[in-house]
Coordinates of all heavy atoms in Angstrom, one line a residue:
V1 N -37.5 60.5 -82.4 CA -37.2 60.1 -83.8 C -36.8 58.7 -83.8 O -35.9 58.3 -83.1 CB -36.1 61.0 -84.4 CG1 -35.7 60.5 -85.8 CG2 -36.4 62.4 -84.4
S2 N -37.6 57.9 -84.6 CA -37.2 56.5 -84.7 C -35.9 56.4 -85.6 O -35.9 56.9 -86.7 CB -38.3 55.7 -85.4 OG -39.2 55.2 -84.5
P3 N -34.9 55.7 -85.1 CA -33.7 55.5 -85.9 C -34.0 54.7 -87.2 O -34.7 53.7 -87.1 CB -32.7 54.9 -85.0 CG -33.5 54.2 -83.9 CD -34.8 54.9 -83.8
S4 N -33.4 55.2 -88.3 CA -33.6 54.4 -89.5 C -32.5 54.8 -90.5 O -31.8 55.8 -90.3 CB -34.9 54.8 -90.2 OG -34.9 56.1 -90.6
V5 N -32.3 53.9 -91.4 CA -31.3 54.1 -92.5 C -32.1 54.1 -93.8 O -33.0 53.3 -94.0 CB -30.3 53.0 -92.6 CG1 -29.4 53.1 -93.8 CG2 -29.4 53.0 -91.4
T6 N -31.8 55.0 -94.7 CA -32.5 55.1 -96.0 C -31.4 55.0 -97.1 O -30.5 55.9 -97.1 CB -33.3 56.3 -96.2 OG1 -34.3 56.4 -95.2 CG2 -34.0 56.4 -97.5
I7 N -31.5 54.0 -98.0 CA -30.6 54.0 -99.1 C -31.3 54.8 -100.2 O -32.4 54.4 -100.7 CB -30.3 52.6 -99.6 CG1 -29.6 51.8 -98.5 CG2 -29.5 52.6 -100.9 CD1 -29.4 50.3 -98.7
C8 N -30.8 55.9 -100.6 CA -31.4 56.8 -101.6 C -31.1 56.3 -103.0 O -31.9 56.5 -103.9 CB -31.0 58.2 -101.4 SG -31.3 58.9 -99.7
S9 N -29.9 55.8 -103.2 CA -29.5 55.4 -104.5 C -28.4 54.3 -104.3 O -27.6 54.5 -103.4 CB -28.9 56.6 -105.3 OG -28.4 56.1 -106.5
P10 N -28.5 53.2 -105.0 CA -29.5 52.9 -106.1 C -30.8 52.4 -105.4 O -30.8 52.2 -104.2 CB -28.8 51.7 -106.8 CG -28.0 51.1 -105.7 CD -27.5 52.2 -104.9
T11 N -31.8 52.3 -106.2 CA -33.1 51.8 -105.7 C -33.1 50.3 -105.8 O -32.4 49.7 -106.5 CB -34.3 52.4 -106.5 OG1 -34.1 52.1 -107.9 CG2 -34.4 53.9 -106.3
A12 N -33.9 49.7 -105.0 CA -34.0 48.3 -104.9 C -34.4 47.6 -106.2 O -35.3 48.2 -106.9 CB -35.0 47.9 -103.8
N13 N -33.9 46.4 -106.4 CA -34.3 45.6 -107.6 C -34.0 46.3 -108.9 O -34.8 46.1 -109.8 CB -35.7 45.1 -107.4 CG -35.9 44.4 -106.1 OD1 -35.1 43.5 -105.8 ND2 -36.9 44.8 -105.4
T14 N -33.0 47.0 -109.0 CA -32.6 47.7 -110.3 C -31.3 47.1 -110.8 O -30.6 46.5 -110.1 CB -32.5 49.2 -110.1 OG1 -31.5 49.5 -109.1 CG2 -33.8 49.8 -109.8
T15 N -31.0 47.4 -112.1 CA -29.8 47.0 -112.7 C -28.9 48.2 -112.6 O -29.3 49.4 -112.9 CB -30.0 46.6 -114.2 OG1 -30.9 45.5 -114.1 CG2 -28.7 46.2 -114.8
V16 N -27.6 48.0 -112.1 CA -26.7 49.0 -111.9 C -25.4 48.7 -112.6 O -25.1 47.5 -113.0 CB -26.4 49.3 -110.4 CG1 -27.7 49.7 -109.7 CG2 -25.8 48.0 -109.8
P17 N -24.5 49.7 -112.9 CA -23.2 49.3 -113.4 C -22.3 48.6 -112.4 O -22.7 48.6 -111.2 CB -22.6 50.7 -113.8 CG -23.3 51.7 -113.0 CD -24.7 51.1 -112.7
T18 N -21.2 48.0 -112.8 CA -20.4 47.3 -111.8 C -19.7 48.2 -110.8 O -19.2 47.7 -109.8 CB -19.4 46.4 -112.6 OG1 -18.6 47.2 -113.5 CG2 -20.1 45.2 -113.3
T19 N -19.6 49.4 -111.1 CA -19.2 50.4 -110.1 C -20.3 51.3 -109.9 O -20.8 52.0 -110.8 CB -17.9 51.2 -110.5 OG1 -16.8 50.3 -110.7 CG2 -17.5 52.2 -109.5
V20 N -20.9 51.3 -108.7 CA -22.1 52.0 -108.4 C -21.9 53.0 -107.3 O -21.2 52.8 -106.3 CB -23.3 51.0 -108.0 CG1 -23.0 50.3 -106.8 CG2 -24.6 51.7 -107.9
N21 N -22.5 54.2 -107.5 CA -22.5 55.2 -106.4 C -23.6 54.9 -105.4 O -24.8 54.8 -105.8 CB -22.7 56.6 -107.0 CG -21.4 57.1 -107.6 OD1 -20.3 56.8 -107.2 ND2 -21.5 57.9 -108.7
I22 N -23.3 54.8 -104.2 CA -24.3 54.6 -103.1 C -24.5 55.9 -102.3 O -23.5 56.5 -101.9 CB -23.9 53.4 -102.2 CG1 -23.7 52.2 -103.1 CG2 -24.8 53.2 -101.1 CD1 -23.1 51.0 -102.4
V23 N -25.7 56.3 -102.2 CA -26.1 57.5 -101.4 C -27.1 57.0 -100.3 O -28.1 56.4 -100.6 CB -26.7 58.5 -102.3 CG1 -27.1 59.8 -101.5 CG2 -25.8 58.9 -103.4
A24 N -26.7 57.3 -99.1 CA -27.6 56.8 -97.9 C -27.5 57.8 -96.8 O -26.5 58.6 -96.7 CB -27.2 55.5 -97.5
G25 N -28.5 57.8 -96.0 CA -28.5 58.7 -94.8 C -29.3 58.0 -93.6 O -29.9 57.0 -93.8
T26 N -29.2 58.6 -92.5 CA -29.8 58.1 -91.3 C -30.7 59.2 -90.6 O -30.4 60.4 -90.8 CB -28.8 57.6 -90.3 OG1 -28.0 58.8 -89.8 CG2 -27.8 56.6 -90.8
T27 N -31.6 58.7 -89.8 CA -32.3 59.6 -88.9 C -32.2 58.9 -87.5 O -32.4 57.7 -87.4 CB -33.8 59.7 -89.2 OG1 -34.4 58.4 -89.2 CG2 -34.0 60.4 -90.6
S28 N -31.7 59.7 -86.5 CA -31.6 59.2 -85.2 C -31.5 60.4 -84.2 O -30.9 61.4 -84.6 CB -30.3 58.4 -85.1 OG -30.1 57.9 -83.8
A29 N -32.1 60.2 -83.1 CA -32.0 61.2 -82.1 C -30.6 61.3 -81.4 O -30.3 62.2 -80.7 CB -33.1 61.0 -81.0
T30 N -29.8 60.2 -81.6 CA -28.5 60.0 -81.0 C -27.5 60.1 -82.1 O -27.7 59.8 -83.2 CB -28.4 58.7 -80.3 OG1 -29.5 58.5 -79.4 CG2 -27.2 58.5 -79.5
A31 N -26.3 60.6 -81.8 CA -25.2 60.8 -82.7 C -24.8 59.4 -83.3 O -24.8 58.4 -82.6 CB -24.0 61.4 -82.1
I32 N -24.4 59.4 -84.6 CA -24.0 58.2 -85.3 C -22.5 58.0 -85.1 O -21.7 58.9 -85.3 CB -24.3 58.3 -86.8 CG1 -25.8 58.5 -87.0 CG2 -23.8 57.1 -87.5 CD1 -26.7 57.4 -86.5
S33 N -22.1 56.8 -84.6 CA -20.7 56.5 -84.5 C -20.1 55.7 -85.7 O -18.9 55.8 -85.9 CB -20.4 55.7 -83.2 OG -21.1 54.4 -83.3
A34 N -21.0 55.1 -86.5 CA -20.5 54.4 -87.7 C -21.6 54.2 -88.7 O -22.8 53.9 -88.3 CB -19.9 53.0 -87.3
L35 N -21.3 54.5 -89.9 CA -22.3 54.2 -91.0 C -21.5 53.4 -92.0 O -20.4 53.8 -92.5 CB -22.8 55.5 -91.6 CG -23.9 55.4 -92.7 CD1 -25.1 54.7 -92.1 CD2 -24.2 56.8 -93.2
Q36 N -22.0 52.1 -92.3 CA -21.2 51.2 -93.1 C -22.0 50.6 -94.2 O -23.2 50.5 -94.2 CB -20.8 50.0 -92.1 CG -20.1 50.4 -90.9 CD -20.1 49.4 -89.8 OE1 -21.1 48.6 -89.7 NE2 -19.0 49.3 -89.1
I37 N -21.2 50.3 -95.3 CA -21.8 49.6 -96.5 C -21.3 48.2 -96.5 O -20.1 48.0 -96.3 CB -21.4 50.3 -97.8 CG1 -21.9 51.8 -97.8 CG2 -21.9 49.5 -99.0 CD1 -21.4 52.5 -99.0
Y38 N -22.2 47.3 -96.6 CA -21.9 45.8 -96.7 C -22.4 45.4 -98.1 O -23.5 45.6 -98.5 CB -22.6 45.0 -95.6 CG -22.0 45.2 -94.3 CD1 -22.4 46.2 -93.4 CD2 -21.0 44.3 -93.8 CE1 -21.9 46.4 -92.2 CE2 -20.5 44.5 -92.5 CZ -20.9 45.5 -91.7 OH -20.4 45.7 -90.5
L39 N -21.5 44.7 -98.8 CA -21.8 44.1 -100.1 C -21.7 42.6 -99.9 O -20.7 42.0 -99.6 CB -20.8 44.5 -101.2 CG -21.0 43.9 -102.5 CD1 -22.4 44.4 -103.1 CD2 -19.9 44.3 -103.5
D40 N -22.9 41.9 -100.0 CA -23.0 40.5 -99.8 C -22.4 40.0 -98.4 O -21.7 39.0 -98.3 CB -22.3 39.7 -100.9 CG -22.9 40.0 -102.3 OD1 -24.2 40.1 -102.3 OD2 -22.2 40.0 -103.3
G41 N -22.7 40.9 -97.4 CA -22.2 40.5 -96.0 C -20.8 40.9 -95.7 O -20.4 40.7 -94.6
V42 N -20.1 41.6 -96.6 CA -18.7 42.0 -96.4 C -18.6 43.5 -96.3 O -19.1 44.2 -97.3 CB -17.8 41.4 -97.5 CG1 -16.3 41.9 -97.3 CG2 -17.8 39.9 -97.5
K43 N -18.1 44.1 -95.2 CA -18.0 45.5 -95.1 C -17.0 46.0 -96.1 O -15.9 45.6 -96.2 CB -17.5 45.9 -93.7 CG -17.5 47.4 -93.5 CD -17.3 47.8 -92.1 CE -16.0 47.3 -91.5 NZ -15.7 47.8 -90.2
V44 N -17.5 47.0 -96.9 CA -16.6 47.6 -98.0 C -16.4 49.1 -97.8 O -15.6 49.7 -98.5 CB -17.2 47.3 -99.4 CG1 -17.2 45.8 -99.7 CG2 -18.6 47.9 -99.6
F45 N -17.1 49.7 -96.9 CA -16.9 51.2 -96.6 C -17.5 51.5 -95.3 O -18.4 50.9 -94.8 CB -17.8 52.0 -97.7 CG -17.6 53.5 -97.6 CD1 -16.5 54.1 -98.1 CD2 -18.6 54.2 -96.9 CE1 -16.4 55.5 -98.0 CE2 -18.4 55.6 -96.7 CZ -17.4 56.2 -97.3
Q46 N -16.8 52.5 -94.6 CA -17.3 53.0 -93.3 C -17.0 54.5 -93.2 O -15.9 54.9 -93.6 CB -16.6 52.2 -92.2 CG -17.1 52.7 -90.8 CD -16.6 51.8 -89.7 OE1 -16.6 50.6 -89.8 NE2 -16.2 52.4 -88.6
T47 N -17.9 55.2 -92.5 CA -17.7 56.6 -92.2 C -18.3 56.8 -90.8 O -19.0 55.9 -90.3 CB -18.3 57.5 -93.2 OG1 -18.0 58.9 -92.9 CG2 -19.8 57.4 -93.3
N48 N -18.0 57.9 -90.2 CA -18.6 58.2 -88.8 C -19.6 59.3 -88.9 O -19.8 60.0 -87.9 CB -17.5 58.4 -87.8 CG -16.7 59.7 -88.1 OD1 -16.8 60.2 -89.2 ND2 -15.9 60.1 -87.2
T49 N -20.2 59.6 -90.1 CA -21.1 60.6 -90.3 C -22.5 60.0 -90.5 O -22.7 58.8 -90.6 CB -20.8 61.4 -91.6 OG1 -20.8 60.6 -92.7 CG2 -19.4 62.1 -91.4
S50 N -23.5 60.9 -90.5 CA -24.9 60.4 -90.6 C -25.4 60.2 -92.0 O -26.5 59.8 -92.3 CB -25.9 61.3 -89.8 OG -25.8 62.6 -90.4
S51 N -24.5 60.5 -93.0 CA -24.9 60.3 -94.4 C -23.6 59.9 -95.2 O -22.5 60.1 -94.7 CB -25.5 61.5 -95.0 OG -24.6 62.6 -95.0
L52 N -23.8 59.3 -96.3 CA -22.6 58.9 -97.1 C -22.9 58.9 -98.6 O -24.1 58.8 -99.0 CB -22.1 57.5 -96.7 CG -23.1 56.3 -96.9 CD1 -23.1 55.8 -98.3 CD2 -22.6 55.1 -96.0
V53 N -21.8 59.1 -99.3 CA -21.8 58.9 -100.8 C -20.5 58.2 -101.1 O -19.4 58.7 -100.7 CB -21.8 60.3 -101.5 CG1 -21.7 60.1 -103.0 CG2 -23.0 61.1 -101.2
A54 N -20.6 57.0 -101.7 CA -19.4 56.2 -101.9 C -19.6 55.4 -103.2 O -20.7 54.9 -103.5 CB -19.2 55.3 -100.7
S55 N -18.5 55.1 -103.9 CA -18.5 54.3 -105.0 C -18.1 52.9 -104.6 O -17.1 52.7 -103.9 CB -17.5 54.8 -106.1 OG -18.0 56.0 -106.7
V56 N -18.8 51.9 -105.0 CA -18.5 50.5 -104.7 C -18.5 49.7 -106.0 O -19.4 49.7 -106.8 CB -19.6 49.9 -103.7 CG1 -19.4 48.4 -103.5 CG2 -19.5 50.7 -102.4
A57 N -17.4 48.9 -106.1 CA -17.2 48.0 -107.3 C -17.8 46.6 -106.9 O -17.6 46.2 -105.8 CB -15.8 47.9 -107.7
M58 N -18.4 46.0 -107.9 CA -18.9 44.7 -107.7 C -18.9 43.9 -109.0 O -18.8 44.5 -110.0 CB -20.4 44.7 -107.1 CG -21.4 45.5 -108.0 SD -23.0 45.6 -107.2 CE -22.8 47.0 -106.2
T59 N -18.9 42.6 -108.9 CA -18.9 41.8 -110.1 C -20.3 41.7 -110.7 O -21.3 42.1 -110.0 CB -18.5 40.3 -109.7 OG1 -19.4 39.8 -108.7 CG2 -17.0 40.3 -109.2
A60 N -20.4 41.3 -111.9 CA -21.7 41.1 -112.6 C -22.5 40.1 -111.8 O -22.0 39.1 -111.3 CB -21.5 40.7 -114.0
G61 N -23.8 40.4 -111.7 CA -24.7 39.4 -111.0 C -25.5 40.2 -110.0 O -25.5 41.4 -109.8
T62 N -26.3 39.4 -109.2 CA -27.2 40.0 -108.2 C -26.5 40.0 -106.9 O -25.8 39.1 -106.5 CB -28.5 39.1 -108.1 OG1 -29.2 39.1 -109.3 CG2 -29.4 39.7 -107.0
H63 N -26.6 41.1 -106.2 CA -25.9 41.4 -104.9 C -26.8 41.9 -103.8 O -27.8 42.6 -104.2 CB -24.8 42.4 -105.1 CG -23.7 41.9 -106.1 ND1 -22.7 41.0 -105.7 CD2 -23.5 42.1 -107.4 CE1 -22.0 40.8 -106.7 NE2 -22.4 41.4 -107.8
R64 N -26.5 41.6 -102.6 CA -27.2 42.1 -101.4 C -26.4 43.3 -100.9 O -25.2 43.2 -100.6 CB -27.3 41.1 -100.3 CG -28.1 41.5 -99.1 CD -28.2 40.5 -98.0 NE -26.9 40.3 -97.4 CZ -26.2 39.2 -97.2 NH1 -26.7 38.0 -97.7 NH2 -25.1 39.1 -96.6
L65 N -27.1 44.5 -100.9 CA -26.4 45.7 -100.4 C -27.1 46.2 -99.2 O -28.3 46.4 -99.1 CB -26.6 46.8 -101.6 CG -26.0 48.1 -101.4 CD1 -24.4 48.0 -101.3 CD2 -26.4 49.0 -102.5
T66 N -26.3 46.3 -98.1 CA -26.8 46.8 -96.8 C -26.1 48.0 -96.3 O -24.8 48.0 -96.4 CB -26.6 45.6 -95.7 OG1 -27.3 44.5 -96.2 CG2 -27.2 46.1 -94.4
V67 N -26.8 49.0 -95.9 CA -26.2 50.1 -95.2 C -26.6 50.0 -93.7 O -27.8 50.0 -93.4 CB -26.6 51.5 -95.8 CG1 -26.0 52.6 -95.0 CG2 -26.2 51.5 -97.3
Q68 N -25.7 50.0 -92.9 CA -25.9 49.8 -91.4 C -25.3 50.9 -90.6 O -24.2 51.4 -90.9 CB -25.2 48.5 -91.0 CG -25.3 48.2 -89.5 CD -24.7 46.9 -89.1 OE1 -25.2 45.9 -89.4 NE2 -23.6 46.9 -88.5
A69 N -26.1 51.4 -89.7 CA -25.7 52.5 -88.8 C -25.6 52.0 -87.4 O -26.4 51.1 -87.0 CB -26.7 53.7 -88.9
K70 N -24.7 52.6 -86.6 CA -24.6 52.3 -85.2 C -24.5 53.7 -84.5 O -23.7 54.5 -84.9 CB -23.3 51.5 -84.9 CG -23.2 51.2 -83.4 CD -21.9 50.3 -83.2 CE -21.8 50.0 -81.8 NZ -20.5 49.1 -81.6
D71 N -25.3 53.9 -83.5 CA -25.3 55.2 -82.8 C -24.4 55.0 -81.6 O -23.9 53.9 -81.2 CB -26.7 55.7 -82.5 CG -27.4 55.0 -81.5 OD1 -26.8 54.2 -80.7 OD2 -28.7 55.1 -81.4
V72 N -24.1 56.2 -80.9 CA -23.2 56.2 -79.8 C -23.7 55.3 -78.6 O -22.9 55.0 -77.7 CB -22.8 57.6 -79.4 CG1 -22.0 58.3 -80.5 CG2 -24.0 58.4 -79.0
S73 N -25.0 55.1 -78.5 CA -25.5 54.2 -77.5 C -25.4 52.7 -77.8 O -25.7 51.9 -77.0 CB -27.0 54.6 -77.2 OG -27.8 54.1 -78.2
G74 N -24.9 52.4 -79.0 CA -24.7 51.0 -79.4 C -25.9 50.4 -80.2 O -25.8 49.3 -80.6
L75 N -26.9 51.2 -80.4 CA -28.1 50.7 -81.2 C -27.7 50.6 -82.7 O -27.0 51.5 -83.3 CB -29.3 51.7 -81.1 CG -30.5 51.3 -81.8 CD1 -31.1 50.0 -81.2 CD2 -31.5 52.4 -81.8
I76 N -28.0 49.4 -83.3 CA -27.7 49.2 -84.7 C -29.0 49.1 -85.5 O -30.0 48.5 -85.1 CB -26.9 47.9 -84.9 CG1 -25.6 48.0 -84.2 CG2 -26.8 47.5 -86.3 CD1 -24.8 46.7 -84.2
F77 N -29.0 49.8 -86.6 CA -30.2 49.8 -87.5 C -29.7 49.8 -89.0 O -28.6 50.3 -89.2 CB -31.2 50.9 -87.2 CG -30.5 52.2 -86.9 CD1 -30.5 53.2 -87.9 CD2 -30.0 52.5 -85.7 CE1 -29.9 54.5 -87.6 CE2 -29.4 53.7 -85.4 CZ -29.4 54.7 -86.4
K78 N -30.5 49.3 -89.9 CA -30.0 49.1 -91.2 C -31.1 49.0 -92.3 O -32.3 48.8 -91.9 CB -29.1 47.9 -91.3 CG -29.7 46.6 -90.9 CD -28.7 45.5 -90.8 CE -29.3 44.3 -90.1 NZ -28.2 43.3 -89.9
Q79 N -30.7 49.1 -93.5 CA -31.6 48.8 -94.6 C -30.8 47.9 -95.6 O -29.6 48.1 -95.9 CB -32.1 50.1 -95.4 CG -33.0 49.8 -96.5 CD -33.5 51.0 -97.3 OE1 -32.9 52.0 -97.2 NE2 -34.6 50.8 -98.0
T80 N -31.5 46.9 -96.2 CA -30.9 46.0 -97.2 C -31.8 46.1 -98.4 O -33.0 46.0 -98.4 CB -30.9 44.6 -96.6 OG1 -30.0 44.6 -95.5 CG2 -30.3 43.6 -97.7
I81 N -31.1 46.1 -99.6 CA -31.7 46.0 -100.9 C -30.9 45.0 -101.7 O -29.8 44.7 -101.4 CB -31.8 47.4 -101.6 CG1 -30.4 47.9 -101.9 CG2 -32.7 48.4 -100.8 CD1 -30.4 49.2 -102.8
Y82 N -31.5 44.6 -102.8 CA -30.8 43.8 -103.8 C -30.7 44.5 -105.1 O -31.7 45.2 -105.5 CB -31.6 42.5 -104.0 CG -31.5 41.6 -102.8 CD1 -32.4 41.7 -101.7 CD2 -30.5 40.6 -102.7 CE1 -32.3 40.9 -100.6 CE2 -30.4 39.8 -101.6 CZ -31.3 40.0 -100.6 OH -31.2 39.2 -99.4
V83 N -29.6 44.4 -105.8 CA -29.3 45.1 -107.1 C -28.6 44.0 -108.0 O -28.0 43.1 -107.5 CB -28.5 46.3 -107.0 CG1 -29.2 47.4 -106.2 CG2 -27.1 46.1 -106.4
T84 N -28.8 44.3 -109.3 CA -28.1 43.4 -110.3 C -27.1 44.3 -111.0 O -27.5 45.3 -111.6 CB -29.1 42.8 -111.2 OG1 -30.0 42.0 -110.4 CG2 -28.4 41.9 -112.2
A85 N -25.8 43.9 -110.9 CA -24.8 44.6 -111.6 C -24.5 44.0 -113.0 O -24.5 42.8 -113.2 CB -23.5 44.6 -110.8
Q86 N -24.3 44.9 -114.0 CA -24.1 44.5 -115.4 C -22.9 45.3 -115.9 O -22.8 46.5 -115.7 CB -25.2 44.8 -116.3 CG -26.4 43.9 -116.2 CD -27.3 44.0 -117.3 OE1 -27.3 45.0 -118.1 NE2 -28.2 43.0 -117.5

């Protein structure tokens, strides 16, 4: 299985409220040691599971949203999208 991160919600290039629910998951043949949400390069949430649901507050404007996973072997993989908060 190729390791990957999928941001299920929100979708890329959409307008979202200033507090948005983020839903994401991973696929990996190796156990996940960290799954993190970064907003504009700053870590705002972390769990040690292979999926997450979290609310993140942001200011109005366009933001870079990254969900990054790290497996127990140290491999890092991620997905980045852009959203506009209103």
Side-chain angles (χ1 to χ4, degrees):
V1 175
S2 272
S4 66
V5 172
T6 301
I7 299 172
C8 303
S9 178
T11 55
N13 303 312
T14 57
T15 299
V16 298
T18 54
T19 298
V20 63
N21 284 327
I22 299 170
V23 179
T26 65
T27 58
S28 178
T30 308
I32 300 299
S33 61
L35 187 57
Q36 304 163 324
I37 299 172
Y38 288 84
L39 180 63
D40 299 324
V42 177
K43 183 169 62 173
V44 295
F45 182 84
Q46 178 171 320
T47 184
N48 63 352
T49 60
S50 62
S51 63
L52 63 79
V53 176
S55 290
V56 172
M58 58 184 81
T59 58
T62 300
H63 297 279
R64 182 179 75 233
L65 182 65
T66 301
V67 176
Q68 176 177 289
K70 182 178 180 182
D71 69 19
V72 293
S73 70
L75 183 65
I76 294 174
F77 43 102
K78 58 190 166 186
Q79 181 182 18
T80 298
I81 64 171
Y82 290 85
V83 295
T84 301
Q86 287 193 341

